Amino acid sequence: MIWNTMMGTSILSIPWGIKQAGFTTGMCVIMLMGILTLYCCYRVVKSRSMISSVDTSTWEYPDVCRYYFGSFGQWSSLLFSLVSLIGAMIVYWVLMSNFLFNTGRFIFNFIHHINDTDAVLSTNNSNPVICPSAGSGDHPNNGSMIFYANDTGLEQFEKWWNKSKTVPFYLIGLLLPLLNFKSPSFFSKFNILGTVSVLYLIFLVTFKAIHLGFHLEFHWFMQTEYFVPEIRFQFPQLTGVLTLAFFIHNCIITLLKNNKNQENNVRDLSIAYMLVTLTYLYIGVLVFASFPSPPLTKDCIEQNFLDNFPSSDILSFIARIFLLFQMMTVYPLLGYLARVQLLGHVFGDVYPSIFHVLTLNLIIVGAGVIMACFYPNIGGIIRYSGAACGLAFVFIYPSLIYMISLHQEDRLTWPKLIFHIFIIILGLANLIVQFFM
């Protein structure tokens, strides 16, 4: 359950993050961030048991923050929780626009017998891998097809089916009404799609790696034409992505409440984090190692690694279809959570009126459309929102609450104080450095 909940859109950006950090550095960062976020999540799980003066059996983590920090803790935890939810919804909108665009392009190309690998740099084999951004994975190609310009039908298709100018708006008519539902129970029935999507991605990556083979050459500090160095100063971009990729701290207490044997919570949490870490390593390592360089360069790895497969690729088409339907069911659930947290705290009612709900949903949808049109870089969105929400929920609050509780019991030692202050400093550095990478 925890593995299924934690696995999200970040998995698509892990190979790009490894490319930014360097192969060996990237693997080390994934394992270290997994251990660090697991420890902080463990501190969240144990936070209620540190309070002996009141009954905390029904408390959530914001209640713990309110106990220690008053109204500031309550509202700041609400703010950072909303940052994580709305950030995830923006990433979902960008990805859904991407998947819908590529799905439409696959159908159009199939009907008109168009080979879209002719328009971009690609490998020349039966399993082509493309470089849509012509060598720069940081600036995805936001347009559509740029060939056969004398074809009137294709010109009209490009005009009305553009990744950044039209497709993000088409989603409004479908998803905005779904956000206004009072209950998300219907969409929660489709949670199995998340597991199916991740399992299919694992199959896709494995299949492609077998056919492409491994392309690795180790250069520790100097970049060559086709290979990035093992250590790159852009590695904090991966830590920002991983902060959100391992982020479950704001709802872990709720998830573990359903455990029949509460004494197994720590064990189950550790197993879940181990599985998530192994999944990220598996996807990231296979995509990076099998990416064909030469003839392409590792810098061609996109922020969404599915963009490195042409829209005509049938296996990638199936993956996009799976992910599109999964995200269309999860998106209203995220909107419901944002509504419950914001309107419930402000108005004391999760559905005060259709006007309040519609206004909130328009703001959230508008943010997604704007980002899909002008900044469709999911790696950037994930690392900024991940570092921001992780600053509070992953690094600061768990460490501060633990130190305060130990101090109240006269059990705070210098090693524990220094260690947890170091964790807080890491969180601050993780956020600040995102703006300089």
Side-chain angles (χ1 to χ4, degrees), residues 23 214-218 227 288-289 293 298:
F23 183 61
F214 283 177
H215 303 267
L216 287 173
E217 183 177 317
F218 297 98
F227 295 91
F288 183 93
S293 53
K298 297 291 187 184

Side-chain angles (χ1 to χ4, degrees), residues 270-304:
S270 302
I271 293 174
Y273 262 88
M274 181 185 69
L275 292 175
V276 171
T277 302
L278 291 176
T279 304
Y280 288 154
L281 280 172
Y282 186 84
I283 295 287
V285 168
L286 278 191
V287 172
F288 183 93
S290 63
F291 194 84
S293 53
L296 303 180
T297 69
K298 297 291 187 184
D299 274 329
C300 284
I301 297 176
E302 295 289 318
Q303 294 184 10
N304 170 8

Side-chain angles (χ1 to χ4, degrees), residues 46-58:
K46 290 295 185 180
S47 61
R48 293 187 305 168
S49 62
M50 304 290 288
I51 304 172
S52 57
S53 57
V54 294
D55 180 17
T56 61
S57 58
T58 60

Side-chain angles (χ1 to χ4, degrees), residues 43-290:
R43 293 264 61 94
V44 172
V45 172
K46 290 295 185 180
S47 61
R48 293 187 305 168
S49 62
M50 304 290 288
I51 304 172
S52 57
S53 57
V54 294
D55 180 17
T56 61
S57 58
T58 60
W59 282 20
E60 303 291 342
Y61 197 56
D63 298 313
V64 178
C65 293
R66 184 177 67 248
Y67 175 84
Y68 283 100
F69 307 117
S71 59
F72 171 79
Q74 178 185 4
W75 289 102
S76 59
S77 63
L78 170 64
L79 172 64
F80 286 107
S81 182
L82 287 173
V83 167
S84 66
L85 287 172
I86 295 176
M89 294 181 74
I90 290 174
V91 172
Y92 271 48
W93 200 278
V94 174
L95 286 173
M96 286 187 293
S97 300
N98 181 306
F99 297 149
L100 182 60
F101 169 76
N102 281 288
T103 299
R105 190 165 70 174
F106 172 87
I107 296 172
F108 183 89
N109 289 350
F110 180 79
I111 293 173
H112 294 85
H113 308 288
I114 295 175
N115 182 7
D116 60 354
T117 59
D118 294 340
V120 291
L121 295 177
S122 66
T123 55
N124 188 20
N125 53 43
S126 58
N127 288 280
V129 176
I130 63 174
C131 188
S133 50
S136 174
D138 299 324
H139 304 285
N141 180 12
N142 299 327
S144 55
M145 296 171 291
I146 315 293
F147 48 90
Y148 308 119
N150 57 344
D151 191 320
T152 304
L154 183 58
E155 287 180 350
Q156 288 299 312
F157 177 77
E158 291 180 359
K159 177 181 178 181
W160 295 104
W161 199 258
N162 187 283
K163 186 189 294 186
S164 61
K165 295 180 180 178
T166 59
V167 173
F169 294 93
Y170 295 154
L171 289 171
I172 297 177
L174 180 62
L175 292 174
L176 184 58
L178 300 181
L179 286 175
N180 297 315
F181 281 19
K182 287 189 175 182
S183 172
S185 57
F186 173 76
F187 303 103
S188 61
K189 299 176 182 178
F190 295 92
N191 279 344
I192 187 63
L193 284 174
T195 303
V196 173
S197 299
V198 174
L199 292 177
Y200 183 80
L201 282 178
I202 293 173
F203 160 76
L204 172 66
V205 168
T206 304
F207 180 85
K208 293 292 185 180
I210 291 173
H211 281 75
L212 293 170
F214 283 177
H215 303 267
L216 287 173
E217 183 177 317
F218 297 98
H219 296 276
W220 279 96
F221 301 105
M222 183 179 66
Q223 179 159 343
T224 64
E225 182 179 0
Y226 295 107
F227 295 91
V228 300
E230 295 304 293
I231 299 176
R232 303 183 83 179
F233 289 112
Q234 293 96 327
F235 74 88
Q237 296 185 3
L238 178 57
T239 64
V241 170
L242 291 172
T243 306
L244 194 61
F246 286 115
F247 183 72
I248 200 174
H249 301 63
N250 61 338
C251 60
I252 187 61
I253 291 178
T254 304
L255 292 175
L256 291 178
K257 278 182 180 179
N258 298 321
N259 262 8
K260 183 178 180 180
N261 300 313
Q262 289 294 304
E263 64 273 11
N264 295 333
N265 282 349
V266 175
R267 181 202 67 184
D268 294 345
L269 181 66
S270 302
I271 293 174
Y273 262 88
M274 181 185 69
L275 292 175
V276 171
T277 302
L278 291 176
T279 304
Y280 288 154
L281 280 172
Y282 186 84
I283 295 287
V285 168
L286 278 191
V287 172
F288 183 93
S290 63

